[in-house]
Amino acid sequence: MRNIMVIINPKSGSESGIRLKNMINQHLKNYFEEIVFKETHSPQDPVTFGKEAAENNFDSIMVVGGDGTLNGAITGFKDYEKRPKIAIVPAGTGNLMAKILGIPYLKRRAITAYKFNKTKKMNLGICNDHVFNMFASLGPIPESIHEVSNEQKTALGFFAYVLNAMP
């Protein structure tokens, strides 16, 4: 049985991810027999859901959120031999990984672009038991980026990061 777990971060970006649930469900019905939706409420939830997906042998996960939600899900299944394939719906503030992979920026286009007939391998790094999928950084700039609140991201978008990084 083919199954997929959809991890939605309702606080990502413009907070529109949850409104896409019906569209996602309709599209995924064409490819999967079982669709399980999970909604994040804390920064640890994507990690927990990623682990659950690996432990329960999910074929795939779809992450509807930003780079933090994606990284959390990957962290959850990093220690497992069999890992689910990942589909990304860019619903965060920056969505850098989606941009790198050429995933359409418009959420509805990203959802319908997935036909689940091909995959791409990607490398991951691990530093101090933390997974990174694009880059690793240290110092005051990345630290200030992690301190941006959901309210700031909702109000200012990507500029919330710039504003918070300024001295």
Side-chain angles (χ1 to χ4, degrees):
M1 170 177 8
R2 290 192 57 179
N3 55 5
I4 187 168
M5 178 185 289
V6 181
I7 301 170
I8 299 176
N9 182 343
K11 295 293 183 185
S12 285
S14 61
E15 301 183 9
S16 63
I18 203 71
R19 292 188 300 238
L20 300 169
K21 192 173 177 179
N22 287 336
M23 180 185 190
I24 291 168
N25 190 52
Q26 288 296 69
H27 183 69
L28 295 180
K29 277 195 229 178
N30 297 315
Y31 303 96
F32 296 94
E33 297 163 37
E34 180 185 13
I35 305 164
V36 175
F37 284 89
K38 299 283 187 169
E39 191 175 316
T40 66
H41 298 287
S42 78
Q44 186 61 30
D45 284 348
V47 178
T48 302
F49 299 150
K51 184 176 182 177
E52 183 182 328
E55 288 176 351
N56 293 303
N57 294 313
F58 273 81
D59 295 305
S60 303
I61 63 169
M62 176 177 273
V63 176
V64 183
D67 295 316
T69 308
L70 173 63
N71 207 55
I74 293 169
T75 298
F77 59 70
K78 73 175 172 57
D79 294 327
Y80 291 85
E81 184 76 25
K82 184 181 181 296
R83 299 176 187 126
K85 297 174 193 91
I86 304 168
I88 303 168
V89 177
T93 305
N95 304 301
L96 297 176
M97 181 54 75
K99 288 175 187 170
I100 290 168
L101 295 173
I103 296 168
Y105 183 74
L106 296 175
K107 295 169 202 66
R108 294 178 189 281
R109 281 196 186 154
I111 293 164
T112 58
Y114 288 108
K115 305 300 181 215
F116 300 95
N117 58 355
K118 64 181 178 175
T119 59
K120 291 181 185 179
K121 289 195 181 261
M122 62 187 257
N123 292 319
L124 299 174
I126 299 176
C127 180
N128 294 332
D129 208 37
H130 294 288
V131 173
F132 59 93
N133 51 28
M134 291 178 292
F135 50 82
S137 57
L138 54 101
I141 300 294
E143 192 174 295
S144 67
I145 289 172
H146 289 290
E147 294 172 355
V148 174
S149 70
N150 285 333
E151 292 78 19
Q152 289 172 306
K153 289 190 276 187
T154 300
L156 302 172
F158 188 76
F159 291 107
Y161 296 119
V162 174
L163 184 64
N164 212 41
M166 294 174 70

